[in-house]
Amino acid sequence: MSFAFFCKNGILYFVCRKSILAKMIVMFSKLENREEIRMKKEDCLFCKIANGEIPSTTIYENNDFRVIFDIAPASKGHALIIPKQHYNDIFDMDAETGGKLFSLATAVARALKKELNCEGMNIVQNNGLIAGQTVFHFHLHLIPRYTGDTVNIGWVPGEANQVELAELAKAVRKAI
Ligand code: AMP
Ligand code: ZN
C-alpha cells in the first residue's frame, strides 16, 4: 500500500511513500500559486482600482466587487462592476462569482435607472481582444440609454441554418 492513516492517542497520523509526499507538495504549491494569481495581479489596472490603490468614482463596494463610473463613458451613468479578485475574462470566472456578480448587477441597474431616468440599458461584457476587451481584468459594463445618445452596439443579423443550429445545440449542451 502507498499510504495509510492510523490513530494513536487520539491523533490521526498519515504515512505515505516519499514519492507520493513529493507529488502532494508540488500539487499544493501549484494550488497556492494559482490562488495568489487569482487574488491580485501586479500591474493590473483594475486590480488596483478594485482594491482601492488607484482612486475611482466608486458608486458601491462590498467584499467581492467595486462598482465605479467609467472614466470615458459611452453615455451618462456608464458604470462598471469589477471583481476584487483577478479574473481575465468570463472563461476564467467561477460560476459562484458569476452568480454574485449578476445579482449585484440587477440592483445596480435598477438604482441607475431610478436616479438617471434612462429609458433603457445595455449590459455589455467584452472577452478577448477580438471582442473589444481593452482591460484584461473582467468587468461588466452597464450603459444607460437615452433617446438621441451616441452609443453604438450592434451587428448585422445573419441567417440561421436549423439543422446546423440543432447539431450545435446538442454539442454545446454536452459541454455544459
Ligand atoms: P473594455 O473595452 O470592455 O475592456 O472596457 C474597458 C473600460 O474601462 C473602458 O470603457 C474604459 O473607458 C474604462 N476605463 C479604463 N481605465 C479606467 C479608469 N481608470 N477608471 C474608470 N474606467 C476606466
Ligand atoms: Zn486584475
Side-chain angles (χ1 to χ4, degrees):
M1 198 192 290
S2 321
F3 65 89
F5 289 96
F6 67 91
C7 191
K8 199 177 164 189
N9 298 333
I11 299 169
L12 185 67
Y13 290 88
F14 172 69
V15 284
C16 69
R17 287 214 319 254
K18 255 191 202 164
S19 58
I20 294 190
L21 186 65
K23 273 184 196 158
M24 283 171 72
I25 290 170
V26 170
M27 204 175 86
F28 282 121
S29 70
K30 274 186 184 163
L31 275 178
E32 201 182 316
N33 286 343
R34 208 176 303 158
E35 194 53 31
E36 271 170 23
I37 292 166
R38 170 74 60 233
M39 292 298 283
K40 213 171 109 195
K41 216 174 152 195
E42 285 308 321
D43 73 16
C44 170
L45 173 66
F46 278 9
C47 272
K48 291 194 169 83
I49 289 180
N51 291 285
E53 288 168 46
I54 291 182
S56 62
T57 310
T58 295
I59 304 166
Y60 173 85
E61 78 170 297
N62 61 21
N63 282 342
D64 302 312
F65 303 99
R66 184 181 290 268
V67 186
I68 67 169
F69 279 127
D70 196 294
I71 206 166
S75 67
K76 187 177 177 189
H78 180 172
L80 302 174
I81 302 183
I82 307 174
K84 290 188 174 178
Q85 292 194 2
H86 183 92
Y87 302 92
N88 294 322
D89 49 36
I90 196 160
F91 310 116
D92 193 28
M93 179 175 273
D94 59 281
E96 193 191 339
T97 306
K100 285 184 191 169
L101 170 96
F102 225 80
S103 165
L104 176 59
T106 57
V108 176
R110 272 196 295 270
L112 287 171
K113 188 167 190 303
K114 182 167 176 262
E115 292 307 313
L116 292 156
N117 256 323
C118 56
E119 296 150 58
M121 186 174 293
N122 289 108
I123 306 291
V124 178
Q125 201 273 305
N126 300 325
N127 299 282
L129 202 59
I130 185 96
Q133 186 175 7
T134 58
V135 177
F136 293 88
H137 173 129
F138 181 103
H139 51 280
L140 188 76
H141 294 263
L142 291 90
I143 307 174
R145 299 301 306 266
Y146 311 89
T147 299
D149 67 29
T150 55
V151 179
N152 180 16
I153 298 162
W155 55 85
V156 180
E159 260 180 49
N161 174 319
Q162 292 306 321
V163 178
E164 259 178 40
L165 285 190
E167 276 171 15
L168 193 57
K170 200 172 153 191
V172 177
R173 194 177 308 122
K174 228 173 131 187
I176 290 174

